Amino acid sequence: MALLIIGLVIFLGVHAFSMARAPRAALVARLGEGPYKGLYALASLIGIVLIAVGFGRYRASGYIEVWDPPVWTRHLALLLMWPAWVMVVAAYLPGRIKRTLKHPMLAGVKLWALAHLLANGDLGTILLFGSILAWAVLARISAKRRDEVRDHAGPVAAPAGARNDILAVAIGTAIFLAFLFRLHLWLIGVPVVPGLGA
């Protein structure tokens, strides 16, 4: 649990620092864009590794149950993961989905974290996904403030046609199905649906 917490502090701390635009700009000016991005990536990677190792050790030592989610919350979580993946993909394929959500990556992360909180009632999961959800909410608030400043600067480019939206739905659906049937079990060690993908 200690490694998990340290990893979350490092990973989310680095991402939270990027929301503080003035200190970030000052650090970029001092270090240069390249070195700053390198340190940012390195710190993020260290945080991810510590989170993965810490959560793995926590699971191996036995879950600490806080509450027992009813079965319907797991079904709802499964349904939420589909649009979450579509939103994440839409962040890289500018179209009407991205224009409507403005920050589909953050929307997808919030939905992903919420889905895992609904489906799991143990302390480690609540700590992990609750922290990520809190960060994503704060990041969206910060992004909204930047959007308001940018909107005053002039009109933004029109979104791409429906092709990118169709691609986002298709690719997001493919990733969702891959995690449903195989990847979640292979990468995380836990099947999405017991007995599925074994």
Side-chain angles (χ1 to χ4, degrees):
M1 190 71 83
L3 279 179
L4 173 61
I5 293 171
I6 294 170
L8 283 168
V9 169
I10 293 173
F11 182 78
L12 297 179
V14 167
H15 284 74
F17 178 77
S18 67
M19 292 187 287
R21 307 311 282 182
R24 178 190 177 279
L27 189 58
V28 169
R30 188 182 318 155
L31 298 176
E33 187 76 26
Y36 169 79
K37 287 183 176 178
L39 286 174
Y40 183 93
L42 178 61
S44 296
L45 180 61
I46 290 171
I48 289 172
V49 169
L50 289 174
I51 289 169
V53 172
F55 195 71
R57 289 185 180 178
Y58 157 75
R59 279 193 348 207
S61 65
Y63 291 95
I64 302 171
E65 291 296 333
V66 175
W67 71 296
D68 185 21
V71 174
W72 68 265
T73 62
R74 295 185 180 123
H75 296 156
L76 177 58
L78 185 60
L79 289 174
L80 291 177
M81 286 306 302
W82 182 20
W85 278 116
V86 171
M87 291 174 190
V88 168
V89 174
Y92 300 98
L93 294 168
R96 287 176 176 79
I97 295 174
K98 183 171 183 177
R99 185 168 178 88
T100 300
L101 296 175
K102 292 194 175 180
H103 298 276
M105 175 66 76
L106 289 175
V109 169
K110 286 189 287 188
L111 209 54
W112 170 77
L114 177 62
H116 283 79
L117 287 171
L118 286 172
N120 301 278
D122 64 282
L123 182 60
T125 300
I126 292 170
L127 181 63
L128 173 60
F129 293 101
S131 299
I132 292 172
L133 178 59
W135 165 79
V137 169
L138 292 174
R140 182 62 185 94
I141 293 170
S142 174
K144 183 178 180 182
R145 290 176 182 157
R146 293 197 302 274
D147 290 342
E148 289 169 353
V149 172
R150 195 179 300 118
D151 289 345
H152 290 299
V156 295
R163 177 179 173 273
N164 277 358
D165 292 324
I166 293 169
L167 278 173
V169 172
I171 296 170
T173 301
I175 296 172
F176 166 73
L177 292 174
F179 268 88
L180 176 63
F181 288 102
R182 281 282 186 265
L183 289 184
H184 201 277
L185 177 61
W186 288 355
L187 296 175
I188 313 300
V190 179
V192 176
V193 179
L196 186 63

